[in-house]
Amino acid sequence: MLWQRSELLAVGHTVLGARPRWLGPVVTAVLRAYRQPPADRPRELAAFVAAVTGPAGTRVQAAVIRERRFVATRVGRMRWATPAVDDLGALADFLDVDGDRLDWFADRRELNRHARDQQLRHYRYLWRPHRLIEAPKPRLRALQRHLLDTIVGLLPVHESVHGFVAGRGVHTFAAAHAGKPTVLRLDLRAFFTSVTAARVYGLLRTAGYPEPVAHALTALTTTRTPVDILRDAPNRAHAALLRQPHLPQGAPTSPALANLCTFRLDRRLAGLAGRFGADYTRYADDLAFSGDLGGRQAQHLITQVTAIATAEGFGVNTAKTRVRGQADQQRLAGLVVNAAPAVPRAEYDRLRAILHDAAQHGIDAANRDGHPDFAAHLAGRIAWVAHRHPTRASKLQRLLSAAVPAP
């Protein structure tokens, strides 16, 4: 169909079985508002048409539809280099499922929330102190992993973000603050559950996906916690967040989507840090600032960070806020940053003692916690403790070699 007045009037005549007085003004208003057909926005277009008032206050809601015409949606301009998915049929093909299976996993009927039979739920639930792990079952997890690899993981995050980003991590998060006079650390409360389905949907629409596709992708990556699980929530505020559609902590897509949905928060906090002459980085729910900040400046910065976080829909856990000068041990994400980022000396000493014990009495005797592959566990701890510290790495590796002789 051509996006012209005569064509739209003809289609309107066919759909309505008549040509009411308000049809012409409505078509005129649509063409003024949309110079190109909004093929990716059928709901937005329907809402616009319903809001238009015709002659003598006639409302379009009163129209009687005589013949329905279904037109498939299609993408407009894709903002980033992600696959174009025009409609729900294309999404089902992209995920290699049929339409019924797509609808089942998207859970539009909310069986996951209301079903008492655990087999009808898409998630398993486990309460930890102050947080709920919502782990998707294998088939949904596989779909989410596919979406992470092919869509979500390809979208760009803010340069200040270091958690769950390829090539970045705890050490890059902390490195920006090494050797600074003052280091501030703040913690966002209920980070994943504070990211609502509306935020995820807005992100996917910004990426260029049509409304139905964005809704389905949002449904596949968010959830509402069942009522019986909410009974064990630590407080009403936490339960209220879980009651709304949110990112589940435990889904493979949640960390990346949380990073993407907090882009504006990161941009505002980076700008705020710049006004204070400070640096800013974020690792998941940990916010870090550093610079030459006096006591009053630091408190003023904390106040403004809290206000911005609140405005962006997040809460700051004030009990975990820390301000540390060079005379203190400045710690970020388990690393001491007074000089180069490094694990605390006590942690290094504990690992060295375990390796010495293993070298003296055998690796099995030193495995007091029953790790299934204790040698691999120790190798991983060495990599963490000795990261960019060759002297530590050499000493620890020698002890491990003595404990685990070469075959």
Side-chain angles (χ1 to χ4, degrees):
M1 181 182 71
L2 297 177
W3 194 249
Q4 297 176 355
R5 180 179 176 80
S6 58
E7 291 286 338
L8 293 179
L9 287 171
V11 170
H13 188 188
T14 300
V15 169
L16 298 170
R19 185 169 292 181
R21 294 176 56 196
W22 51 258
L23 182 59
V26 167
V27 168
T28 299
V30 167
L31 289 173
R32 285 176 179 171
Y34 300 94
R35 295 190 177 185
Q36 299 294 328
D40 62 331
R41 292 166 283 170
R43 296 188 183 189
E44 178 187 308
L45 178 60
F48 177 85
V49 169
V52 175
T53 303
T58 305
R59 301 289 297 198
V60 177
Q61 290 98 320
V64 177
I65 305 300
R66 301 297 183 185
E67 178 182 322
R68 292 189 178 275
R69 289 194 173 188
F70 295 95
V71 179
T73 57
R74 63 178 185 272
V75 299
R77 181 180 68 88
M78 299 300 292
R79 185 167 181 178
W80 297 291
T82 53
V85 182
D86 286 319
D87 54 31
L88 293 179
L91 179 60
D93 292 340
F94 181 74
L95 296 174
D96 195 25
V97 296
D98 59 30
D100 290 339
R101 188 62 67 177
L102 175 62
D103 187 59
W104 163 254
F105 285 118
D107 196 27
R108 290 190 298 179
R109 291 178 293 171
E110 291 200 323
L111 291 177
N112 185 77
R113 178 171 172 77
H114 297 295
R116 294 185 178 182
D117 186 347
Q118 297 295 323
Q119 292 185 344
L120 296 177
R121 290 181 173 175
H122 294 311
Y123 291 86
R124 295 186 176 95
Y125 302 92
L126 177 63
W127 278 102
R128 298 290 191 189
H130 310 298
R131 62 192 175 105
L132 174 65
I133 302 300
E134 298 177 287
K137 293 180 180 178
R139 288 181 293 177
L140 177 58
R141 185 178 185 84
L143 291 181
Q144 292 172 340
R145 172 59 64 179
H146 181 58
L147 292 175
L148 176 65
D149 294 340
T150 57
I151 294 179
V152 177
L154 303 181
L155 302 178
V157 300
H158 194 274
E159 61 185 9
S160 299
V161 179
H162 293 260
F164 318 109
V165 179
R168 307 179 199 175
V170 170
H171 286 85
T172 59
F173 161 70
H177 310 287
K180 298 296 181 62
T182 304
V183 174
L184 280 66
R185 183 176 70 82
L186 299 94
D187 177 81
L188 295 178
R189 185 186 297 112
F191 179 55
F192 288 106
T193 50
S194 294
V195 180
T196 63
R199 287 176 183 255
V200 176
Y201 173 75
L203 165 72
L204 295 167
R205 287 290 295 125
T206 299
Y209 290 101
E211 288 174 342
V213 175
H215 275 292
L217 290 173
T218 300
L220 290 170
T221 54
T222 61
T223 188
R224 296 178 68 193
T225 307
V227 174
D228 60 306
I229 303 298
L230 292 177
R231 295 192 185 104
D232 296 323
N235 53 64
R236 290 184 179 179
H238 198 173
L241 290 173
L242 293 168
R243 192 174 292 114
Q244 302 302 315
H246 60 272
L247 290 181
Q249 186 166 353
T253 43
S254 291
L257 285 170
N259 281 341
L260 293 164
C261 290
T262 52
F263 187 93
R264 190 169 67 176
L265 171 68
D266 292 317
R267 184 176 60 187
R268 293 183 67 181
L269 293 180
L272 176 67
R275 292 199 297 274
F276 279 80
D279 292 304
Y280 162 70
T281 59
R282 179 173 63 80
Y283 190 95
D285 54 0
D286 282 343
L287 313 179
F289 298 83
S290 64
D292 190 5
L293 301 167
R296 294 184 64 181
Q297 273 191 310
Q299 291 303 318
H300 186 43
L301 176 57
I302 291 170
T303 299
Q304 296 219 29
V305 169
T306 303
I308 289 174
T310 302
E312 293 296 329
F314 295 92
V316 172
N317 187 348
T318 56
K320 293 186 177 182
T321 299
R322 299 289 184 271
V323 181
R324 296 290 183 263
Q326 273 288 324
D328 308 307
Q329 187 182 75
Q330 300 170 328
R331 296 185 64 167
L332 293 173
L335 298 174
V336 178
V337 296
N338 293 70
V343 299
R345 177 75 190 196
E347 185 173 346
Y348 166 73
D349 289 340
R350 280 195 298 271
L351 178 57
R352 187 175 62 175
I354 293 172
L355 289 166
H356 185 269
D357 183 31
Q360 292 293 315
H361 303 102
I363 193 166
D364 291 334
N367 186 13
R368 293 182 174 83
D369 293 328
H371 292 283
D373 189 344
F374 195 44
H377 170 75
L378 291 174
R381 289 188 62 180
I382 290 173
W384 162 250
V385 169
H387 181 80
R388 293 191 177 180
H389 289 269
T391 302
R392 283 185 174 185
S394 178
K395 291 179 180 179
L396 296 174
Q397 194 61 50
R398 282 198 302 269
L399 288 170
L400 179 62
S401 298
V404 187

